[in-house]
Each structure stands twice: as C-alpha cells, then as structure tokens.
Amino acid sequence: MLPVVLAGCAVAVTLVASVASTVDELRLQSSPAEELLVDMDAVYPGDRTASQVEPDTRTSAKAKRSRALTSSAARAQCRDSAYALAGWRVKGGLNWYYNPSGAPSAVSRSALAAVRSAAQSMATGQNECRLPGPFKVAQKYGGTTKRTAAVSSASTAACGREDGYSVVSWKRLGSTALAVTCTWWTRSGGVVSSDIVINTRYRWFTTQPSRCASTYDVRSVMTHEWGHTFGLNHVSPARHGTQVMASTIPACSSTRTLGAGDHNAMRKLYGVR
C-alpha cells in the first residue's frame, strides 16, 4: 500500500494584470515501509486500503470483511461534512480538452472515459449519501487536442503561461506529484482556465486489477483534481480521509464519489439545480 499525499501549495505568480495562478499537487515521499507520502502527519488508516481491494468471486470470510469495510467507509464519507474552499469558482461552465499523448499503455484506451466521468462526478454531485444534485455549474469535454497542460516538469512544480484553454494531459514530472493542477482566475474569483497534468512516472489503472500493487486510480485522482478546478481545497487526511479532497490517497484504492464535505463545498459555491 502506497499512501499518496495530495498536498497543495499556492504559487504567487501574476501572469496578466488581473490573473493569478495556483498549483495543487498530489505529492509523494518515500518511507521505509515502501509507502509514499506527502507528509508524515497525513497517513491513511491501514484498513482503508484493505477496504478497496476487490473481493474474490467466492464468498469467503475475507471477502465479507472487505465488503463490510467498504460499507463502513461509505457511511463515514457521508457523516463527514468538513470542507475547505480555494477562493475561486467556475462561472457558468468549463470547457476542457484532453491530450492522450504519453498516456501509459495500460490506460491509453480507457483514461479519457475515466477523466470525463471524474469531471461529471464533480459537476453533478455524484455521491452515495443521497444528497441532491446536480450543481448549478456545467462542464463540457471539447475533444482531443495537441496542446499540453501548462505545468513544468521540473522537480518543483510551477505553472506556465495561461493560454485560455483548459487541458488535461500526461507528462513525466520531476516532482513527486501524482498529478498537478494549475488554475488561473481573475481577482474577482472567476476561473479563466485550469490545466491538469497526470504524472507518467507512476502506474495507473481504470479498472482495479485483482492483484494490485503500487498502482493508482485515474478516476479517483482526477475527481480530486477537478475539485481544485471547481474551487475546492484540501482537508486533513487524518480527520477527513474519506473525502475526495483529503490531501492523501493510497495506491490500489478508489474514492470516486463525493463525500458529504465535498458536496457541501460544491453546494456552497454553486447551489443545486
């Protein structure tokens, strides 16, 4: 199990007179236990990873325990109402594009569907808590593009020049991030564009393999990153580890639907249709 931290940091860069830039990233650090963390204080409880392992098709005691843990995690996700806001919001709707170049072969055919599902989950408020949706904000996939996300591949993540396009692309980063989101917004709080890079230095899945190790879920990570685009910030993984916007995520796990806190944040920003 490789817990991953989604540690965010703000970059004080002015690209034009009225536009600011921020970078949010999923950071990892090595630990003696072969686990990757952003910060040693933000570690998921061990049973969370176990609860996400797909059970054997046979009804075994282990499979029953796994399902019980999954159900318990879902209940915890719906009880936790914590959230944090970043300071910006998408006004009206977000049009975005996808560059498939460089996607790992294991997910090259399925990644786009996962990215689209993640964006839809955030905008429609998909959840297991019976909370209302969709929100009063739209997102639209505009097609594939040769443009790349304006995120540097240096060891320290940095945002490049804003170009008016919101792009999701793949790149091998020098940073230990799983993914990096750069969002540009006006001083009145409106998003101009938002770019996301998924780091190809890690292994990825869209359907969890039965024998999973050191591999990350595209849709879970992208749901978190779209959260940044829409104006959500991190919450503590120690106290709110079941939320999409918790700042850590372990390998071989899936958090694809909004928790109560994630939903509260989106509802605060956009309201429900």
Side-chain angles (χ1 to χ4, degrees), residues 25-184:
E25 47 178 77
L26 290 149
R27 288 189 177 278
L28 303 129
Q29 293 178 349
S30 297
S31 77
E34 199 190 347
E35 297 183 345
L36 300 177
L37 322 139
V38 131
D39 122 20
M40 296 301 293
D41 296 323
V43 181
Y44 280 107
D47 63 350
R48 182 164 183 264
T49 298
S51 73
Q52 303 299 334
V53 176
E54 293 183 356
D56 190 279
T57 54
R58 295 167 294 183
T59 306
S60 63
K62 181 178 180 181
K64 289 179 180 177
R65 287 195 300 271
S66 178
R67 286 195 290 268
L69 286 168
T70 301
S71 177
S72 176
R75 290 195 298 271
Q77 188 183 44
C78 295
R79 288 195 300 265
D80 190 347
S81 60
Y83 67 89
L85 301 179
W88 61 83
R89 63 192 298 270
V90 171
K91 295 185 177 181
L94 177 79
N95 293 325
W96 60 275
Y97 302 84
Y98 176 70
N99 185 339
S101 178
S105 58
V107 296
S108 60
R109 296 184 179 181
S110 57
L112 174 57
V115 173
R116 294 185 71 174
S117 293
Q120 185 175 20
S121 292
M122 189 58 65
T124 62
Q126 184 178 354
N127 67 88
E128 297 180 11
C129 309
R130 299 183 179 180
L131 297 171
F135 300 113
K136 296 178 183 178
V137 65
Q139 62 80 30
K140 181 180 179 181
Y141 169 58
T144 58
T145 182
K146 292 184 178 180
R147 294 176 180 271
T148 58
V151 180
S152 75
S153 57
S155 58
T156 301
C159 299
R161 184 184 297 274
E162 194 279 322
D163 63 1
Y165 288 84
S166 295
V167 176
V168 178
S169 63
W170 297 82
K171 184 187 295 185
R172 184 176 178 86
L173 301 176
S175 166
T176 55
L178 275 177
V180 176
T181 299
C182 284
T183 301
W184 292 269

